[in-house]
Amino acid sequence: MEPLIPCVAHLAGIWAEEIGGISMLVDEQRALTDTVLDAARRIASLDRTLIGTTWRVRQKPWARAVRDIVRGRSWDHPSIQLADLIAGAGQAVARRHAGAPSAAGDRLHSLVVPLITQESMVPHDEPARFAEVSEQTV
């Protein structure tokens, strides 16, 4: 299963709880079809509560619901372009932290580190895997 799909639904649900009803714009990915995004929206808009051994599932109120999840292309949406820039800054700081210093990582460190929360961390078996330089990220 493509891990991006449940991540979109989970993050949308977390942000809707945090800030209220939302619509979400995601970068175009092959796995994120209209059908998948509609299913992610429906799942993210459900409240699930464990009562004893039974799950109670009901629709979230409109004020906390994920109203829509749509796909866009970075060259059409400045917000996706900004997200790409922020991801790049995070990766430069992660590389610095893993021992691969760079001028960008040094300059961005004091700006990026305060923005990191437990919910924003990507778990890996080795932190250096996120920080490694590959041909795709250069």
Side-chain angles (χ1 to χ4, degrees):
M1 181 175 165
E2 170 63 51
L4 182 60
I5 296 168
C7 288
V8 168
H10 186 69
L11 287 172
I14 288 172
W15 278 108
E17 286 293 322
E18 185 73 24
I19 64 174
I22 64 166
S23 292
M24 187 175 192
L25 172 66
V26 297
D27 202 354
E28 188 171 52
Q29 301 284 331
R30 193 173 337 157
L32 299 178
T33 65
D34 290 341
T35 302
V36 165
L37 292 178
D38 187 52
R41 180 199 51 79
R42 286 193 318 268
I43 290 166
S45 292
L46 296 174
D47 266 329
R48 294 169 296 282
T49 308
L50 185 60
I51 301 172
T53 59
T54 306
W55 284 97
R56 184 177 96 193
V57 180
R58 62 184 179 163
Q59 191 70 30
K60 286 182 181 179
W62 180 251
R64 292 187 305 117
V66 176
R67 298 172 184 162
D68 205 2
I69 303 176
V70 296
R71 186 177 57 251
R73 298 179 305 178
S74 60
W75 53 82
D76 294 332
H77 295 280
S79 58
I80 294 175
Q81 293 172 16
L82 178 60
D84 289 344
L85 288 170
I86 293 168
Q91 191 168 44
V93 171
R95 287 179 182 158
R96 175 189 182 272
H97 181 72
S102 70
D106 291 341
R107 285 192 305 268
L108 292 167
H109 182 266
S110 64
L111 298 170
V112 171
V113 170
L115 301 174
I116 297 172
T117 64
Q118 190 66 16
E119 294 81 23
S120 69
M121 297 304 295
V122 179
H124 284 291
D125 51 351
E126 298 175 39
R129 285 184 52 207
F130 178 73
E132 70 187 17
V133 178
S134 69
E135 290 180 25
Q136 294 177 351
T137 59
V138 175

